[in-house]
Every structure is written in structure tokens, then in C-alpha cells.
Amino acid sequence: MFRTALRNVLAHKARLLMTVLAVLLGVAFVSGTLVFTNTISDAFQKSSQKGFDNVDVAIQPHTADRDREERRPGHAPKLSQHLLDQAGKVPGAASATGSVSGFAAVADKHGKLVGEGFNSTGANYYPGPGGKDARYPLKDGRAPQAAGEIALDAKTADRGGYKVGDTVRLSVDGPVLEKKLTGVFTTDDGNVSAGGSLALFDTATAQKLYATPGEFGEIDVKAAPGTSQAALKTAIDKILPRDAEATTGQQLADDQAKMIAQGMDGMKTGMLAFAGISLFVGIFIIANTFTMLVAQRTKELALMRAVGASRRQVTRSVLIEAFVVGAVAAVTGLLVGIGIGAGLRSLLNGAGATVPDGPLVISPGTVVTSLVVGIVVTVLAAWLPGRRAAKIPPVAAMNSVHAVATTRSLVVRNTIGALLSGAGIAAALAATGMKDGKTVLGIGAGLLLIGVFVLTPLLSRPLIAAAAPVLNLFGISGKLARQNAVRNPRRTAATASALMIGLTLITGLTVIAGSVQQAIDKMATSAIKADYVVSMASHTPLSPDVAKKLASTPGVTVSSPLRMSASRIDGDHESLTGVDGKSIKELTKLDFTAGSFDGLTAGKAVVDESTAKSHGWKLGSTANATFEDGKQGKLTVAGIYKGNALMRGIMVDTKTLAPHQSVVNDQQVMVKTKVGTSESAKDSLRTALGDNPAIQIQDKKDISNDIAKVISLVLNMLYGLLAMAVVVAVLGVVNTLAMSVFERSQEIGMLRAIGLDRKGIKRMVRLESLVISLFGGVLGVGLGVFFGWAAGELIGKSLGTYEMVLPWGRMAVFLLMAALVGVLAALWPARRAAKLNMLAAIKAE
């Protein structure tokens, strides 16, 4: 039986090729994902570990204090110079370095931002013994020593076109700073390796920019030779104040590695999910292939039973074939996946997202997973056809009776499909009425998708019959195509379902993305009256000097900063938003259910409905507030408004916050000009801020477009990933048609004999393929719209302006794409059918 199974594989190489390709693509996606994410994760981990080479023990503010302080914009917990001096003198310490850092955007000579904005960092150069900082070896020039000097990492200096002696323009929190470049250094900093920039100031200047004179954000201690990190930590623990803690360099490196791995988990999970979809679609192809192979070998299998083969042996022979096919596909898919992983990394670098250098990582887990996935998926998909093969009675060897699906089996199938579909629809509808129904909606979507798949044989007849008037226009070829499509509804259903799944996901995502984009457009238009919103490109806090400059800029009529401050209101943690109480009503367009901005003076607040409801506040209610400096006061509710994703929470006048803030920073500044939105107005604002590349000046359309870019980027990525499932579905259509042509060789020969020419045969096969593909396309688009609507009902609960938008144009494109799939998939099978020798085909069994 084993030898027989191997002979069958070798005898049907061409027929099994499409199955191999389907499994290969799915496995390649899995292995490529694992190789890519493992390689990127390993590169970042090794890069970050290099940053801890000079750190044996790090002293940092206590975790609880650090978390609390980091909620206050512009505040960073600090360590004193006295503690730094003590740390350098503990037994086993060779040296101690004080670090202070923050955001620093560097402009190139053309005024454009250098590097990735979020990884643009500024820090201090702390000279140790010999006047050098071991963390930053100088490549050229000297270290910065005064307030007007700066040093840049070699990559940033090269990208910016800077040499020692040049003047560098940069920004820390808004205003443009100009510094003389005194030195260029090399570094193993992970942010720089990942495409960011690093600017170094002398310690006094860095403290003035990011901290308080004489204080640091971290103290790094280097151990003397012969002293372990654990022993040094024990010695340092004895001198630590209550609000500081010590961590070994190894622990910091391990924590960083864990964070990087966790950060990659989301990407890995998402990509593997789409690989799973491809494999799920591939299951239909595999099951179809083996079902047809078994049907074509009915006589052979029955003869095997007649000469003594048991049912188990027949099933096992089919599974051995599947194992061989799966093994070949898995090994090939693994090799292709390794290439995909390497290609994705190059693509990422080519797109500007710099990745640290490092080897391609092919772990044993990747190899094992790829092989197991390919083989298990293929064997499981072939199990049901193998089981059917074992049930073929030996008497079939004499009369070639093929086992056909009984009426009872179809009734059972349709009943199960109806129950699953009903349960899925009920769950999806129930989820739309829940506060957080994502899980229930996911379960409902899965049940409905499976239910529709089970029902597709039943649905195929009426839907394909609906196409009869169009098909009849093509004469006898069209009629034969329609009859062939419904002759074996199970096979038609399995072929169409592969395409249906891909188009369901694509359509659903498109409906949601288009609806969300329109909701954002409406929100920006309805909530903001300001002509421009000014903020840092990195979304870090702005200096209050920016708001002052904008207010005094010619042409600006009204402006207001938006200033965040942590607080406790009636014992609960709340963030207060400071605004200009006099001008905010001219810059926003909020719907008040009680009160208005007119009452927003010192000691007053306006709150959104959700916050008011959670605290039980009404107009005139008072609340006990503990501000960020620990002082207490009372706030009176002067207005309640309907919040949205852009404007929500508790707003107070900046005069209420100012006495309680040691460091004042703004998140953004809203501006209204005399001429409204125009290029000249934007240019005047840009000029007033010194043509600063770190600051973005956006009108309502820009804000909406920014969000649209993110949505489009995500949607295009998902389209690309789902394209894999569609490619697998195309292979399924090709495979089904090719094997169907082989199965109907005698019939095609008879048609040729009675007068149907080769063009007619080709047209028949193409129309059959077109009908099956459009059947899957219609089901996919219909289900996608339903899932898009259901998901939108959940989104609408948190996005008030959300309304479902049906992308008719794109849905038409999706159906045209399904039609194109049908036409392309039929090219080879149709050509093969037309070339059949009619006499040889008539004699075929």
C-alpha cells in the first residue's frame, strides 16, 4: 500500500502541483513571518544590549515615582549631583556617569528633519577620567563644552550634510536653537541604529533643557575589575535615598529584550493570522484535489478492496499521498519563506524604516513549525476524502459506480449550515447592542462564515441560475457552462468559498476604513473652528514660548494653548486640559447640553457628558481637586458638552493651572487668522516659528489627512497580506477546472464529435470558471458588507460621527477582480480542453 501511494503521487504530479503551490504559499507566509520578526527582534535586542556595555548598575527614580511623574508632561524624575558623587565612591565602583536626556529634532542644511522623529534624542556628554565619555567615542572634533555647542552622531551628521564647525539648527520643545557643531561621535545607541538621531550637549545645557541644574534622570555606574554587577548593586543599595532604586545592567538588557519581543508580538500575530487565512483557503483546494483524485480512481480503489485491502489501508494510502505532498510543499515553503523574510527586511530598509544590522535568524522553532504546519494541514484536509475512498464497495470495480452524495447527506449538511448561519447572525446582531461586543462579534463572524460555507452547495443553484439569462447569450457554450457549474455543487462550493473568504475580509475592512475616515472628517469639521492646530511633529510637549509667538504674529486674531496637567478629582485620577477661557469658544465648536464656555474663568471647569455622568455632576456642581503640586482646591462645573475623539475631558482656564505647575508645557496651540486657511497664512506662521522642521502646522484637512494616511497604510498592508489568500484561491479555481476537464474528457470528446468547435469548448470552460468565481465574489462582498456594518455599530459607540459608507466603486472593483480571477484561472484548463483529441477522449474511461 505504501508503494502504491508513492506511485500514485508520481503518477499525478501535474494534478498535485496546484495543491503543492497552495500549501507552499501558506507555509512560506508562516516561515517568512517567523524569520522576519525573529531577525528584526534579534537585531534590535543586540543593538540595545550594546547600549548597556558601559552600565553595570543603573540608578533610577523608584518605579512608582517614575510612573507618577511621567504622567506630568514636561516632568521627569531627577537624581541629585550628591548621589552621583556618592555612587562613584562606593566599594567596587570604577566610575559613575550622570545622564539626562529628552527630545531633540535636528534639521539638515535644507531645513528638513533628520531621522525618525520619534527616535530623535538629545542627551548630555559627561566627561569622565581623561575628559572623555566612554559611551560616545569621538570620531572628529571635540566634545561640547558650552551652551552654544553640540555634537552629533556620525550617521546624523552624514545625513544632515554637517561637518565640524557648521551651525546646526535644532529644536527641543518648539523654538529653534542654533548650535555650533564641535564634534562627531560613534555610538551603539539602538535608536540611532534604527534610523533616529542623537545630539549631545554639555551637561549643564542638557540639564537646563531637560531637567533642573544639578539633577539627572539616571546614574550609570561602571564596576571595577573583579567586581560583579550583583556585588556592586548591593553596595549601591546602601546609599540610595527612599525614592531611588538600583538595577543591574544585565537586568536592564533583559528587560529591554523582553519589551522588544513583546513589541514584535503584535506584528507577528497579525501576519500569522493572515498566513492562517491562506492555509485555511488552501484546505479547500487540498480537499477538492483529493476528492477528485479519489473519484477518478474509484475503480482502482475498489479493485484494491476486492483483492484484500482493508478500509484502513485504503485510507492510509490516501493519507500517505497527502503526507508526501505536504512534506514537499512544507520544505519548499520553508525555503521560499526564508527568502521572503530577507526580502521584507530589505523592503523595510528601502522604505526608510532603518533596521539595525544583524544576521538572518532561522530558529529551530521556525523550521519545525513550517514543516508541521504544511504536513498537518495537508493530511487533515485529505482525511475526509481518504475516509470516503475507504467506503467504496468492491462491487464498484465491476460497474464503475461512483459514490454520489445522498439526499440525506445534503439535508444534514444544509441543516447544519442553516443552524450555524443563524447562530452567527444572532451573535453578530447581539454584539451590536453590547457595550463591548468585540469577542461576541468575532464568534458570530466565524460561525456565519462557516455556516455560509456549509450552505454554499444549496446557495449555488439559485445564484448561478440567476446568471442564466446572461449565459444563454453565449449559446450552447453558456448553457453547458451553467449546467457544469451546478452539476457538482459540493465542488463548486469548495472552489467558490476559497475566493469568498478573501473577498469577505477585504470588503469588510474597506467598509470600516471608509466609514471611519468620513467620521474623522466630520469630527474635525464639527469640533474645530480654529484655522490651524500647531504641535510638535513628535507629539512631545511644546514650549509656552510657541503660544506667545503665535499670539503676537501679524494676522493671528485668536489663539489658545491646550495644556495637560495630572490631577485627582474627588479621589479619582483625571487629566485637566488648560485652555484660554476667553478665546476657546471661538476656536472650538462643541455642543453644550448645559452652560457654555462663557463661564470658564478661574476656579470653573467645563466637562464632557461622559465624565459628568461618571462623577454625578450637573451644572453648578463642585468637585474637590488635588493639583499636580499636591495643593487642593475646588472646581465648579460651568458647562457640560458632548465630547468626541478630538475634544473631551475636563477643561479649565490656564490661570487655574498656572499656580500649580512648576514646568509649563503645551500639547498644542489652536490658532485663528484674519484670512482663514491659506498658504500665505501658513507661511507666516511657519516663518514666525523660525521654519522649524520639528513643528507641524495643520488645518482641519491636514488633521484628517494625517489620520487617513494611517488608515490607508494599514488598509494597504492588509490588502497585501490578503492578496496571498486570493492567489491561493486562484490556484484552487485552476486546479478544480483542470481536474474537472480531465474528469470530463469523454464528455468533451463527445461534444467535439457532435459539432462543438474548439472555440466553443474554450468558451464553455471559461464561462464555467467565470460563474464560479463571481458566485464566490458575490457571497464575499455580501458577507463583507454585513460584517462591516456590524463592526461599525460597535465603533459608533465611541465615535459619535460614525456612519456606514458603502464603497460602491471599490465593491464593483472587487467583483471585477473576481471575474478576472475566473478568466485568468480558466486560461490553461480551457486550452487543455480544446486540445483534447476527440477520438482518444471518447475512448477514455
Side-chain angles (χ1 to χ4, degrees):
M1 292 301 293
F2 181 75
R3 287 196 297 271
T4 302
L6 290 180
R7 284 197 194 102
N8 281 325
V9 172
L10 296 174
H12 301 125
K13 292 188 290 292
R15 296 185 222 173
L16 291 170
L17 178 62
M18 294 298 173
T19 303
V20 170
L21 284 173
V23 181
L24 182 154
L25 285 173
V27 172
F29 208 161
V30 171
S31 59
T33 296
L34 294 174
V35 168
F36 172 68
T37 52
N38 288 343
T39 298
I40 299 300
S41 180
D42 182 71
F44 275 112
Q45 285 176 18
K46 287 181 177 176
S47 177
S48 67
Q49 284 172 355
K50 288 179 182 178
F52 296 110
D53 286 348
N54 292 308
V55 181
D56 287 311
V57 175
I59 302 174
Q60 299 169 322
H62 194 274
T63 304
D65 297 329
R66 187 161 65 246
D67 291 344
R68 183 176 64 251
E69 292 288 343
E70 284 173 353
R71 287 195 292 268
R72 298 162 57 186
H75 290 70
K78 306 297 184 292
L79 305 170
S80 69
Q81 179 70 48
H82 176 66
L83 180 60
L84 172 61
D85 295 337
Q86 281 186 300
K89 297 174 183 177
V90 298
S95 63
T97 303
S99 299
V100 59
S101 61
F103 175 75
V106 178
D108 63 17
K109 288 192 172 182
H110 303 289
K112 294 182 179 179
L113 189 67
V114 178
E116 302 290 332
F118 289 99
N119 293 329
S120 299
T121 308
N124 67 309
Y125 186 93
Y126 190 88
K132 294 182 179 181
D133 190 331
R135 299 172 299 175
Y136 310 115
L138 287 165
K139 180 181 178 183
D140 191 17
R142 60 172 177 80
Q145 298 172 353
E149 297 178 346
I150 193 176
L152 292 177
D153 70 88
K155 289 185 178 180
T156 299
D158 184 56
R159 284 180 290 179
Y162 289 118
K163 295 180 180 178
V164 173
D166 289 345
T167 298
V168 178
R169 297 175 72 250
L170 71 154
S171 177
V172 170
D173 58 0
V176 173
L177 305 175
E178 292 190 346
K179 307 280 186 181
K180 181 182 178 181
L181 183 63
T182 63
V184 175
F185 60 92
T186 58
T187 178
D188 291 322
D189 187 285
N191 285 333
V192 174
S193 299
S197 63
L198 178 59
L200 297 181
F201 307 91
D202 66 283
T203 297
T205 302
Q207 288 174 332
K208 183 179 178 182
L209 291 171
Y210 301 121
T212 303
E215 294 188 335
F216 301 92
E218 180 173 311
I219 296 172
D220 299 328
V221 186
K222 181 74 176 170
T227 303
S228 67
Q229 290 187 354
L232 181 59
K233 180 182 178 300
T234 301
I236 289 175
D237 282 339
K238 296 175 182 178
I239 65 164
L240 292 182
R242 183 185 59 81
D243 57 353
E245 62 183 357
T247 309
T248 62
Q250 184 60 53
Q251 183 63 50
L252 289 173
D254 292 344
D255 291 344
Q256 184 82 356
K258 191 181 294 183
M259 286 175 62
I260 292 169
Q262 289 173 349
M264 297 300 296
D265 281 346
M267 181 191 293
K268 185 184 293 186
T269 302
M271 293 179 72
L272 287 176
F274 287 99
I277 292 168
S278 297
L279 286 167
F280 183 61
V281 171
I283 285 173
F284 297 126
I285 299 175
I286 300 165
N288 247 4
T289 301
F290 280 94
T291 298
M292 286 187 280
L293 284 174
V294 167
Q296 291 164 15
R297 284 161 44 204
T298 299
K299 192 170 182 179
E300 174 192 328
L301 294 171
L303 278 170
M304 289 171 63
R305 290 290 313 283
V307 297
S310 66
R311 286 187 174 186
R312 184 174 294 177
Q313 285 178 312
V314 171
T315 303
R316 193 181 301 146
S317 71
V318 175
L319 294 181
I320 289 170
E321 289 182 53
F323 178 86
V324 173
V325 170
V328 171
V331 171
T332 313
L334 172 62
L335 297 175
V336 172
I338 292 170
I340 289 174
L344 282 174
R345 176 175 172 166
S346 299
L347 187 66
L348 205 61
N349 283 329
T354 310
V355 177
D357 295 330
L360 200 65
V361 178
I362 306 166
S363 68
T366 298
V367 176
V368 172
T369 300
S370 301
L371 294 177
V372 168
V373 165
I375 293 170
V376 169
V377 165
T378 309
V379 170
L380 284 178
W383 177 76
L384 191 58
R387 190 166 171 269
R388 285 181 188 154
K391 290 184 177 180
I392 297 174
V395 71
M398 293 177 284
N399 54 21
S400 298
V401 174
H402 290 252
V404 296
T406 63
T407 304
R408 180 175 176 275
S409 71
L410 288 173
V411 170
V412 171
R413 176 172 180 147
N414 292 338
T415 303
I416 293 172
L419 290 173
L420 288 171
S421 299
I425 292 172
L429 293 175
T432 60
M434 298 178 181
K435 189 175 182 180
D436 184 14
K438 293 192 291 290
T439 303
V440 176
L441 179 59
I443 294 170
L447 288 173
L448 180 55
L449 204 58
I450 295 170
V452 171
F453 163 66
V454 175
L455 282 175
T456 39
L458 179 67
L459 296 172
S460 64
R461 290 186 179 277
L463 286 177
I464 292 175
V470 178
L471 291 173
N472 289 340
L473 297 176
F474 295 91
I476 190 65
S477 295
K479 291 178 181 178
L480 288 171
R482 179 176 60 80
Q483 291 170 359
N484 288 334
V486 296
R487 176 189 296 182
N488 191 334
R490 291 174 183 267
R491 184 190 303 163
T492 298
T495 306
S497 294
L499 195 59
M500 176 191 77
I501 293 169
L503 286 181
T504 296
L505 295 170
I506 289 173
T507 304
L509 290 169
T510 303
V511 169
I512 293 169
S515 302
V516 169
Q517 181 55 50
Q518 179 175 282
I520 296 296
D521 288 341
K522 281 185 180 179
M523 189 183 300
T525 304
S526 62
I528 300 174
K529 286 164 65 177
D531 294 320
Y532 295 102
V533 176
V534 179
S535 62
M536 292 291 285
S538 60
H539 302 291
T540 50
L542 278 166
S543 165
D545 290 343
V546 172
K548 292 175 184 176
K549 280 188 179 180
L550 289 170
S552 60
T553 299
V556 172
T557 56
V558 183
S559 67
S560 171
L562 267 70
R563 189 171 296 166
M564 309 302 291
S565 177
S567 69
R568 287 199 307 276
I569 307 294
D570 290 340
D572 296 329
H573 286 286
E574 295 280 3
S575 182
L576 298 178
T577 302
V579 297
D580 187 320
K582 293 179 181 178
S583 60
I584 189 64
K585 64 182 178 182
E586 298 180 52
L587 298 164
T588 58
K589 193 173 5 177
L590 298 177
D591 185 7
F592 277 83
T593 57
S596 69
F597 276 127
D598 292 334
L600 191 59
T601 56
K604 302 289 181 67
V606 295
V607 299
D608 68 287
E609 281 185 320
S610 176
T611 303
K613 186 177 180 181
S614 65
H615 287 279
W617 293 336
K618 295 180 180 178
L619 191 65
S621 297
T622 59
N624 296 314
T626 303
F627 297 98
E628 66 176 56
D629 61 353
K631 293 183 180 178
Q632 296 184 341
K634 288 188 178 294
L635 292 176
T636 303
V637 177
I640 299 174
Y641 65 93
K642 292 181 180 178
N644 55 58
L646 295 179
M647 304 289 290
R648 63 172 61 182
I650 304 172
M651 295 188 201
V652 298
D653 192 276
T654 51
K655 293 176 183 176
T656 302
L657 288 184
H660 305 287
Q661 293 183 291
S662 56
V663 178
V664 177
N665 283 299
D666 300 325
Q667 292 302 108
Q668 54 186 222
V669 181
M670 303 177 79
V671 176
K672 202 168 181 62
T673 67
K674 284 181 183 178
V675 295
T677 55
S678 66
E679 280 304 313
S680 61
K682 185 180 278 192
D683 286 342
S684 67
L685 296 178
R686 192 179 291 117
T687 302
L689 297 175
D691 291 322
N692 193 331
I695 293 180
Q696 58 184 7
I697 302 168
Q698 298 178 299
D699 58 23
K700 285 177 276 193
K701 188 177 179 181
D702 292 332
I703 294 171
S704 181
N705 288 343
D706 253 13
I707 299 170
K709 283 179 185 176
V710 176
I711 294 173
S712 297
L713 179 63
V714 173
L715 196 61
N716 289 335
M717 286 176 63
L718 295 177
Y719 280 169
L721 293 170
L722 285 170
M724 183 72 76
V726 175
V727 169
V728 174
V730 172
L731 292 175
V733 178
V734 174
N735 201 28
T736 299
L737 288 173
M739 299 192 76
S740 179
V741 166
F742 178 84
E743 191 178 80
R744 300 191 331 244
S745 295
Q746 192 175 55
E747 176 188 318
I748 291 170
M750 289 294 295
L751 289 171
R752 292 274 289 112
I754 61 175
L756 190 62
D757 60 12
R758 289 185 173 180
K759 284 186 178 179
I761 294 292
K762 283 184 179 180
R763 190 181 301 120
M764 177 187 73
V765 176
R766 287 170 183 163
L767 288 173
E768 179 184 350
S769 174
L770 185 64
V771 166
I772 292 173
S773 296
L774 281 175
F775 170 53
V778 168
L779 286 179
V781 169
L783 284 173
V785 169
F786 175 75
F787 291 145
W789 167 81
E793 290 296 301
L794 293 180
I795 295 170
K797 295 185 190 322
S798 57
L799 194 59
T801 53
Y802 184 92
E803 289 180 10
M804 189 174 82
V805 177
L806 288 179
W808 295 106
R810 288 205 178 189
M811 288 194 296
V813 169
F814 296 155
L815 288 175
L816 285 174
M817 186 174 71
L820 183 62
V821 164
V823 171
L824 293 177
L827 290 177
W828 178 60
R831 191 163 173 269
R832 184 181 175 191
K835 282 189 170 185
L836 284 174
N837 181 295
M838 69 176 77
L839 294 177
I842 291 170
K843 288 164 55 178
E845 293 188 5

